[in-house]
Amino acid sequence: MEELKNNVIPLYFLGMNGLLFVLMGFDKLCAVMRKWRVPEKTLLGIGLFGGGFGGLLGLVIFNHKKRKHYFMWTFLLNIAIWGILYYSLWLRK
């Protein structure tokens, strides 16, 4: 369990956030160029499964999906869940 806490979970968290951040930027670029877009279900799904910080960064930096408030709420919910998980796994003994 200790190896899982110290290695796998943080890598998963960083990977999901990085992936969602890149996808938000890519989707914004595709929107500007009027090309194929990343489905909203994909962005929201990654946001729910660990990409909250990356999604919020993508929202702010790329100025993308700001009108759709459910994106922000999904990403904030994910950050809250990860905060609770972080507290329960690492800080609480």
Side-chain angles (χ1 to χ4, degrees):
M1 181 68 176
E2 195 66 32
E3 182 179 328
L4 182 70
K5 271 183 10 182
N6 292 332
N7 296 329
V8 177
I9 293 175
L11 286 176
Y12 171 81
F13 179 68
L14 288 172
M16 292 299 276
N17 281 288
L19 175 64
L20 186 54
F21 179 75
V22 168
L23 282 178
M24 291 284 284
F26 178 72
D27 191 47
K28 176 65 176 192
L29 179 66
C30 290
V32 170
M33 295 173 56
R34 298 185 181 269
K35 300 283 182 183
W36 175 85
R37 305 277 305 275
V38 178
E40 286 187 356
K41 288 181 184 180
T42 302
L43 297 174
L44 288 170
I46 295 171
L48 278 176
F49 289 104
F53 287 113
L56 277 180
L57 276 176
L59 224 121
V60 172
I61 291 176
F62 301 120
N63 198 25
H64 190 47
K65 301 284 187 190
K66 279 190 170 179
R67 292 184 191 168
K68 299 190 177 186
H69 297 288
Y70 53 88
F71 273 90
M72 182 179 54
W73 289 111
T74 301
F75 299 151
L76 289 173
L77 173 67
N78 177 261
I79 291 170
I81 290 169
W82 273 99
I84 292 167
L85 218 94
Y86 177 78
Y87 173 76
S88 66
L89 288 177
W90 282 278
L91 299 180
R92 197 170 135 221
K93 298 264 178 177

